[in-house]
Amino acid sequence: SPCAQIANITPTSLIPTMSKLVIYDVPKTLYKTNQQSLLKALRPKIANDKQDNAYVFLQSGIHHFRHSTDHEHLFRQESYFKYLFGVDTNDCYAAMNVASGKTYLFVAKDPEAFAIWKGKITPPEHYEKEWGFEKCSYHGEYNPCIWNETDQNDLAEWAKGKDLYVLRGTNSDSNLKIKEPEFQGIDKAKSVNRDILFEILSECRVFKSDEELDLMRHINKVSSDAHIAVIKKIQPGMYESEMESLFLHRVYSRGGCRFVSYNCICATGENNAVLHYPYNDKEMKDGAMCLYDMGGEYNCYASDITCSFPVNGKFTSDQAMIYNIVLDSQLAVFKAMKPGVSFVDMHRLSERVIVTGLRDNGILKGDVDEMKKHFIGSYFMCHGLGHFLGIDTHDVGGYPENGPKRIQEPGVKNLRTSRILQPRMVITVEPGLYFNRILLKQAKNNDKISHFFNWDVIERFMDFGGVRIEDNVIITEDGIENMTMCPRTVEELEKTARGEEIKEFVHPKIWKNV
């Protein structure tokens, strides 16, 4: 239940820095808990006398290849499948009976030659013993290049006469459709319901279990330590690629993260204003600001952390001024977040603090309320305040069918959710302040708003880029827990850049706001 007490919250700033590889043992109960959450939500939607014949039915991810070659991309499980069943096997199917909760797995039968290239073939009994499936069966011969041309007659025989509940829907972040299960003979099922599972399972993913929260605390610790290693190492004359390489090394060698949650963003200088800067190939100049947005992924669960700091480790007065405006914005949100609060209101609060800070420091001029009416904040923070986080970086459930709709106004329309905050939601808080040439040119050419901008002062910042500060928080019963453990004040960042250890950060990790 989203309103259940969150257990085992620790003051994460006191956890020691990881000095060697730590393998986090993910409990199998995590997936049993997820299954029970789905059954609790799904059973009221299906008549009692229909539940014995009703099965949730999902298809795993498949191997992908580089264009027309036989180069295999590293396999990462499809997120809904991973959330519910846990196994990382590709080209398989899984089912769960709605009445009993018993689960069934159907894997490809690998040819003997497979072992020469890939190692020991996993027998079906392994999944029954280690993962708790009632039964694991083969669905056909494995063909990695023509996966849908395997012999799936046995799977078709199993499906005969059953009521299958499958996923059909559109991801509100990517606008891409969820892939429905496909196999030869699916038409032999008594029925295939595509209408209700997507919304219900997506909603389950919004509210994290104790096991999920502990896992996400771990990956935040791993990623925070890697960010700190980058801050300590960086020097003028180094390249952005070196810092990306260091981060990737740290999360893998210390935290076992073979994947990252998204492509690392390692921007410096003017490129800080490019929200998803993709290149990471520039030399880092003395006097420039860095904006490093990077997060490790462990067992498919994500972290998403951004640190901004000077290349040379010492803030100028202008850099400190802009940085502190963004930090004040984040802290204002932290002090206000709690169950029952609208995330739209948190975005607007963040924007207001940024606009007020710019006005008070001479970059903007005029009445803050008037600037709000003209959406001046959206010219400096051109993205939403944050997004759900979980088994995907931009996790599902932001705009459910029966939830608050996206508000079509500058700034707020970029929010990835407009929902009311509830306990056990995990969400990022990432205010940013950017001097983006395209947006500022639009503002300057707009006679209705140009007078709010002090253009002589803004010219001083046109090569500045920007600042973003991003932490990952859990909504608790009476406030938030911030899982991210990075230096955040100017003093903390400068100490870290000098190689000093910080035993406890200035700002608390547990915020009680009720």
Side-chain angles (χ1 to χ4, degrees):
S1 165
C3 294
Q5 183 66 35
I6 296 178
N8 302 321
I9 291 179
T10 57
T12 46
S13 59
L14 302 180
I15 298 175
T17 300
M18 302 168 73
S19 58
K20 61 181 180 179
L21 176 62
V22 175
I23 299 298
Y24 185 89
D25 187 15
V26 180
K28 300 291 196 308
T29 55
L30 185 152
Y31 306 106
K32 292 299 180 183
T33 301
N34 291 348
Q35 291 166 15
Q36 290 303 311
S37 295
L38 174 60
L39 291 172
K40 183 177 180 180
L42 183 60
R43 282 170 177 159
K45 305 293 184 181
I46 302 173
N48 290 339
D49 61 350
K50 303 289 187 182
Q51 292 182 10
D52 284 336
N53 200 53
Y55 290 81
V56 173
F57 188 79
L58 301 184
Q59 182 176 348
S60 76
I62 61 173
H63 262 128
H64 290 283
F65 297 82
R66 181 184 290 172
H67 308 304
S68 61
T69 75
D70 63 352
H71 173 96
E72 295 182 48
H73 289 300
L74 190 62
F75 178 71
R76 195 270 197 191
Q77 187 58 276
E78 195 279 327
S79 295
Y80 284 99
F81 193 94
K82 179 68 176 181
Y83 171 84
L84 202 58
F85 297 109
V87 295
D88 288 311
T89 306
N90 68 294
D91 189 35
C92 64
Y93 303 81
M96 179 172 66
N97 182 262
V98 174
S100 67
K102 292 180 178 179
T103 55
Y104 305 85
L105 185 67
F106 305 89
V107 298
K109 187 176 182 180
D110 300 321
E112 189 174 305
F114 184 96
I116 300 173
W117 298 92
K118 299 290 188 177
K120 184 179 179 181
I121 296 173
T122 304
E125 303 79 49
H126 165 84
Y127 299 103
E128 297 169 2
K129 180 180 178 181
E130 297 296 325
W131 290 92
F133 287 96
E134 182 73 13
K135 181 68 175 175
C136 177
S137 306
Y138 291 122
H139 70 70
E141 293 287 339
Y142 177 74
N143 185 331
C145 297
I146 319 174
W147 67 271
N148 61 347
E149 294 186 7
T150 56
D151 178 8
Q152 297 173 335
N153 290 333
D154 43 2
L155 183 55
E157 284 301 310
W158 173 86
K160 188 182 296 184
K162 292 180 171 64
D163 297 312
L164 305 184
Y165 288 78
V166 304
L167 290 170
R168 173 187 276 177
T170 302
N171 185 295
S172 63
D173 290 300
S174 67
N175 206 34
L176 297 175
K177 294 187 181 300
I178 305 298
K179 179 177 172 55
E180 294 181 35
E182 295 178 356
F183 64 89
Q184 295 172 10
I186 192 172
D187 56 323
K188 292 184 179 181
K190 180 180 179 181
S191 67
V192 180
N193 185 301
R194 299 174 173 88
D195 298 329
I196 67 173
L197 183 61
F198 174 72
E199 286 290 328
I200 293 173
L201 187 51
S202 297
E203 187 69 3
C204 289
R205 285 175 55 179
V206 171
F207 300 99
K208 306 302 189 285
S209 67
D210 286 343
E211 295 97 328
E212 288 180 293
L213 293 176
D214 282 343
L215 175 55
M216 295 188 74
R217 291 185 184 105
H218 167 74
I219 188 55
N220 254 268
K221 178 59 182 168
V222 170
S223 297
S224 296
D225 280 357
H227 272 279
I228 290 171
V230 167
I231 296 169
K232 289 180 176 180
K233 182 70 173 178
I234 197 168
Q235 294 289 334
M238 298 180 76
Y239 280 78
E240 296 163 349
S241 57
E242 295 179 79
M243 298 300 98
E244 178 181 17
S245 175
L246 175 58
F247 183 87
L248 295 174
H249 170 68
R250 290 287 294 214
V251 295
Y252 199 0
S253 65
R254 301 294 173 86
C257 301
R258 196 172 188 186
F259 291 92
V260 284
S261 306
Y262 49 92
N263 294 331
C264 293
I265 300 168
C266 301
T268 52
E270 186 178 350
N271 290 324
N272 293 2
V274 180
L275 298 184
H276 286 176
Y277 174 70
Y279 303 111
N280 301 350
D281 61 356
K282 301 296 188 293
E283 181 182 352
M284 297 180 291
K285 303 294 186 181
D286 192 7
M289 283 289 289
C290 298
L291 189 156
Y292 280 17
D293 187 337
M294 304 180 287
E297 177 182 294
Y298 190 83
N299 199 55
C300 293
Y301 279 79
S303 60
D304 187 356
I305 298 170
T306 307
C307 295
S308 299
F309 51 92
V311 171
N312 61 18
K314 183 68 176 177
F315 282 83
T316 67
S317 58
D318 278 349
Q319 289 171 342
M321 180 257 288
I322 297 299
Y323 184 88
N324 282 325
I325 290 173
V326 178
L327 182 60
D328 287 345
S329 173
Q330 189 190 57
L331 294 174
V333 171
F334 284 172
K335 292 174 184 176
M337 290 181 81
K338 60 184 178 181
V341 168
S342 165
F343 201 55
V344 172
D345 290 343
M346 296 298 93
H347 178 95
R348 287 173 173 155
L349 171 62
S350 174
E351 264 195 3
R352 186 179 185 88
V353 173
I354 288 172
V355 169
T356 301
L358 291 171
R359 192 274 312 270
D360 291 348
N361 285 279
I363 296 173
L364 293 174
K365 51 188 177 182
D367 181 72
V368 171
D369 288 329
E370 283 299 310
M371 286 189 269
K372 178 183 176 183
K373 292 177 184 178
H374 290 85
F375 309 109
I376 300 302
S378 68
Y379 289 89
F380 293 95
M381 188 169 88
C382 45
H383 57 75
L385 176 63
H387 52 81
F388 286 144
L389 185 70
I391 211 163
D392 286 313
T393 308
H394 296 154
D395 213 12
V396 296
Y399 287 98
E401 189 174 278
N402 297 319
K405 305 304 179 187
R406 191 183 297 272
I407 298 172
Q408 296 299 325
E409 68 178 43
V412 173
K413 69 181 181 182
N414 297 318
L415 268 178
R416 297 184 185 273
T417 184
S418 297
R419 293 183 63 161
I420 303 300
L421 300 178
Q422 297 179 59
R424 294 187 176 272
M425 288 178 170
V426 175
I427 200 163
T428 66
V429 180
E430 48 181 303
L433 198 173
Y434 314 92
F435 294 88
N436 185 286
R437 292 179 182 275
I438 295 173
L439 293 174
L440 291 173
K441 181 180 178 181
Q442 292 173 1
K444 193 170 187 178
N445 293 336
N446 187 336
D447 293 339
K448 294 181 179 179
I449 63 172
S450 182
H451 63 279
F452 290 118
F453 296 76
N454 191 335
W455 295 108
D456 290 339
V457 178
I458 287 175
E459 188 61 34
R460 192 169 85 231
F461 291 90
M462 290 306 290
D463 295 326
F464 183 93
V467 165
R468 180 164 66 249
I469 305 173
E470 181 178 15
D471 289 354
N472 306 163
V473 308
I474 305 166
I475 308 302
T476 64
E477 297 289 341
D478 54 6
I480 63 167
E481 175 194 348
N482 184 359
M483 295 184 288
T484 304
M485 291 159 274
C486 290
R488 287 308 187 206
T489 67
V490 167
E491 182 181 13
E492 287 171 346
L493 285 164
E494 290 183 343
K495 283 184 176 180
T496 302
R498 293 195 297 268
E500 299 179 27
E501 297 294 332
I502 300 175
K503 294 183 178 180
E504 188 170 0
F505 298 123
V506 170
H507 300 298
K509 295 300 170 185
I510 308 297
W511 297 72
K512 295 184 179 296
N513 298 327
V514 175

